[in-house]
Amino acid sequence: MAALKMSSLLSRSLRAASGSALRSKGRIPVAVKAIGNYSTAAVTEELIQPSIGVDYTKLLINGKFVDSASGKTFPTFDPRTGDLIANVAEGDAEDINRAVSAARNAFDEGPWPKMTAYERSCILLRFADLLEKHNDELAKLETWDNGKPYEQAAKIEVPMVVRLIRYYAGWVDKIHGLTAPADGQYHLQTLHEPIGVCGQIIPWNFPLLMLAWKLGPALACGNTVVLKTAEQTPLSAFYAVKLLHEAGLPPGVVNVVSGYGPTAGAALASHMDVDKLAFTGSTVTGKTVLELAARSNLKPVTLELGGKSPFIVFDDADVDHAVELAHFALFFNQGQCCCAGSRTYVHENVYEEFVEKAKARAINRVVGDPFKAGIEQGPQIDPEQFNKILNYIRSGKESGAKLETGGDKIGSKGYYIQPTVFSDVKDDMLIAKDEIFGPVQSILKFKDLNEVIKRANNSQYGLAAGVFTKNMDTANTLTRALRVGTVWINCFDVFDAAIPFGGYKMSGIGREKGIYSLNNYLQVKSVVTPLKNPAWL
């Protein structure tokens, strides 16, 4: 299957003419008013009710859906309205204990790590087939619980999940050690062994994709898993892992616990019988996760954390193309991307033209019910994130940045924010330093190559960067000079299954996806055997 390019596919899918609206069981009346010049024409007085039930709201432990030990539940909400979708089992330390016990038994006594690699590969391939078959149901749950556009979830993200699971299914029978020469009469071989019980904590901005990024390599290497969902978006994970068991996964190999970070998350990070931990989320929480892991059994930890990625536009660029790509790099997924191009550096020779066109593009961004065809931007995830973004916008105004457009909420219900563009942004402003995680573009001016390298690197983060230029010498210089984990040249957000992803500095530890991710889930054992009268060494 050809590599999926998120940027190009998303652009095509969101601009394709749609001949019919999504079918729905009913309508939710919501008054949404068009604000200023913003393109909210696709928002009517009624929201589409997703045509799917919520059938899985309990914890998945040892192959069964079960209530939490305490019997507690917590609500998950529709970010379009703030209304309740469902009550979900609230896991805590006791539930983590139960899940880890099931995962430990499945690893030590169960069939998963003892299966042939081919058998495990077949289960993952069947899982991918089921994900593909249930593409629409998964996308509806993702949109309903998260607020991202349905077209994005259905045409981009779920297919990427399918591709990634197939990618790791292909790796299962290719994980092996080496033989090497040794000084003296010895035979040396290395074994690559599964690390054991893996704790995995995923975020709310890409629930299904992050589930696949975590489960794929862990299962390919023969490990068992306890996965904690984000409390904002638990629904799609339960549905997906139900399909994984339908594909033939033995009980206890993957367990899913929904709950809050300070209870379920902390219990998983500090559990003495968890052998490895993977976390995706904020840098602040990542520090806590790392500390809990170190204080417990010193389990190895991989972290995929925050970012404040520079998007650098040179004066030889096609400005129209650069504006569109920079717009995508920032506003995609409501700006809720760790690698968003949230510091837009533009050369002074094209700065004024770029700002005017970036403003016009933001004004024309289509905001509304994410279940409607043609919508580019849905609501933010929840009131906490919504208010955080509005506070950063307020900070930008107060610090002297020029508000070109946007800067306020849309409507009186739900968590919609106007696409916002600031110009005249300085490096020491909070909107240029902090990870906003919302639809706020900060445009900064630069003069020359050396200057922009220093400014781009002057950040606690180092997750990604975008470079827009026709000069390959400039591109090659920046490729090596920027202290980030990914550099996109004349593109952005290209997420092939084989491309490693992770950050420098406080953007994380380790890499997701690709061959490098397998190293996170393997132990290397050296085996040395004496050779008696060898014919050769």
Side-chain angles (χ1 to χ4, degrees):
M1 183 177 179
L4 288 172
K5 301 296 189 284
M6 180 183 285
S7 55
S8 59
L9 283 175
L10 185 71
S11 178
R12 287 200 299 270
S13 68
L14 292 188
R15 284 167 175 73
S18 177
S20 62
L22 297 169
R23 292 188 179 91
S24 63
K25 290 183 177 179
R27 302 280 178 172
I28 305 173
V30 176
V32 182
K33 182 181 178 183
I35 302 296
N37 294 323
Y38 287 90
S39 180
T40 58
V43 181
T44 68
E45 293 183 354
E46 295 179 328
L47 295 181
I48 290 177
Q49 171 67 33
S51 55
I52 186 171
V54 180
D55 298 323
Y56 306 103
T57 59
K58 296 184 178 182
L59 313 180
L60 182 57
I61 297 177
N62 205 27
K64 297 180 180 179
F65 285 103
V66 297
D67 291 322
S68 62
S70 67
K72 291 181 180 179
T73 63
F74 67 93
T76 186
F77 298 103
D78 182 346
R80 301 177 302 166
T81 62
D83 294 340
L84 177 71
I85 298 175
N87 288 303
V88 179
E90 182 184 335
D92 57 20
E94 178 56 33
D95 301 294
I96 292 294
N97 287 337
R98 290 193 293 164
V100 171
S101 178
R104 173 57 60 194
N105 185 68
F107 185 79
D108 291 343
E109 307 295 337
W112 186 248
K114 299 176 184 178
M115 281 184 181
T116 66
Y118 178 70
E119 290 173 313
R120 283 189 277 118
S121 177
C122 286
I123 289 173
L124 290 179
L125 288 171
R126 288 196 294 270
F127 177 41
D129 291 343
L130 286 169
L131 290 168
E132 192 167 54
K133 179 181 177 181
H134 293 275
N135 181 98
D136 292 350
E137 296 97 316
L138 288 162
K140 288 172 185 176
L141 283 175
E142 197 82 332
T143 294
W144 198 7
D145 213 14
N146 173 275
K148 66 178 67 220
Y150 174 79
E151 290 180 334
Q152 174 185 320
K155 297 178 182 180
I156 306 297
E157 293 184 20
V158 179
M160 289 181 74
V161 169
V162 173
R163 176 66 181 93
L164 192 130
I165 294 300
R166 287 181 177 147
Y167 173 84
Y168 282 109
W171 265 114
V172 175
D173 58 0
K174 301 168 188 67
I175 298 170
H176 53 76
L178 303 170
T179 60
D183 291 342
Q185 296 183 3
Y186 298 98
H187 173 75
L188 167 63
Q189 68 179 110
T190 60
L191 302 177
H192 290 184
E193 299 182 344
I195 199 167
V197 175
C198 300
Q200 301 182 326
I201 302 173
I202 61 174
W204 49 259
N205 57 334
F206 293 98
L208 278 172
L209 271 175
M210 296 302 100
L211 176 142
W213 286 20
K214 296 289 187 290
L215 289 185
L219 295 180
C221 294
N223 299 284
T224 60
V225 173
V226 176
L227 183 140
K228 193 199 89 67
T229 61
E231 58 268 29
Q232 297 90 340
T233 54
L235 299 181
S236 58
F238 288 129
Y239 195 103
V241 177
K242 184 266 298 186
L243 297 177
L244 180 52
H245 283 83
E246 283 186 23
L249 188 78
V253 176
V254 173
N255 307 272
V256 180
V257 177
S258 51
Y260 294 101
T263 50
L268 185 60
S270 58
H271 204 289
M272 294 296 291
D273 212 19
V274 170
D275 301 305
K276 185 263 182 298
L277 193 66
F279 170 81
T280 296
S282 73
T283 295
V284 171
T285 306
K287 290 181 178 181
T288 300
V289 166
L290 189 61
E291 181 181 2
L292 291 172
R295 287 183 173 181
S296 54
N297 58 347
L298 207 61
K299 60 179 72 65
V301 179
T302 48
L303 301 170
E304 198 266 279
L305 306 175
K308 193 68 178 175
S309 300
F311 185 99
I312 305 171
V313 180
F314 284 84
D315 57 351
D316 63 348
D318 177 331
V319 174
D320 291 335
H321 189 192
V323 165
E324 185 62 32
L325 196 60
H327 179 88
F328 169 77
L330 186 282
F331 290 100
F332 172 64
N333 204 53
Q334 292 70 253
Q336 296 170 157
C337 293
C338 55
C339 60
S342 53
R343 287 184 290 154
T344 307
Y345 288 98
V346 181
H347 194 278
E348 61 181 5
N349 291 346
V350 293
Y351 184 83
E352 298 301 328
E353 179 186 1
F354 185 97
V355 168
E356 285 304 309
K357 290 181 175 180
K359 172 183 176 180
R361 178 64 181 92
I363 289 173
N364 288 322
R365 187 168 182 80
V366 184
V367 182
D369 179 359
F371 278 104
K372 289 188 174 294
I375 290 296
E376 295 180 282
Q377 181 176 314
Q380 309 306 131
I381 183 66
D382 62 14
E384 180 180 354
Q385 188 65 21
F386 176 78
N387 289 321
K388 172 188 171 186
I389 295 165
L390 291 176
N391 285 336
Y392 273 114
I393 291 173
R394 190 174 302 112
S395 168
K397 296 176 184 178
E398 293 172 352
S399 62
K402 181 181 178 183
L403 179 65
E404 296 286 345
T405 188
D408 205 349
K409 64 182 181 178
I410 296 176
S412 59
K413 199 168 187 180
Y415 312 122
Y416 295 91
I417 291 179
Q418 294 174 350
T420 298
V421 176
F422 281 104
S423 64
D424 295 340
V425 178
K426 308 303 179 186
D427 295 64
D428 60 351
M429 294 178 181
L430 287 181
I431 58 172
K433 296 194 300 182
D434 290 3
E435 185 178 36
I436 299 174
F437 229 60
V440 181
Q441 185 176 34
S442 298
I443 307 179
L444 305 91
K445 185 187 296 184
F446 76 93
K447 293 182 178 181
D448 58 51
L449 179 63
N450 290 332
E451 172 204 334
V452 80
I453 289 172
K454 291 179 181 179
R455 292 171 65 189
N457 283 335
N458 186 24
S459 171
Q460 64 177 330
Y461 299 113
L463 191 54
V467 174
F468 206 88
T469 179
K470 296 176 183 177
N471 188 322
M472 288 309 298
D473 290 336
T474 299
N476 285 332
T477 296
L478 284 163
T479 297
R480 288 157 177 77
L482 295 172
R483 300 194 64 231
V484 296
T486 300
V487 180
W488 285 296
I489 305 294
N490 296 327
C491 61
F492 207 86
D493 279 349
V494 180
F495 286 111
D496 190 278
I499 299 174
F501 184 78
Y504 287 28
K505 297 185 280 187
M506 291 178 70
S507 286
I509 301 170
R511 293 294 180 268
E512 309 267 6
K513 301 192 291 108
I515 186 173
Y516 294 96
S517 66
L518 299 172
N519 297 332
N520 302 331
Y521 294 96
L522 292 168
Q523 291 280 24
V524 178
K525 178 184 290 181
S526 298
V527 180
V528 183
T529 306
L531 294 171
K532 302 298 183 182
N533 301 316
W536 52 269
L537 290 175

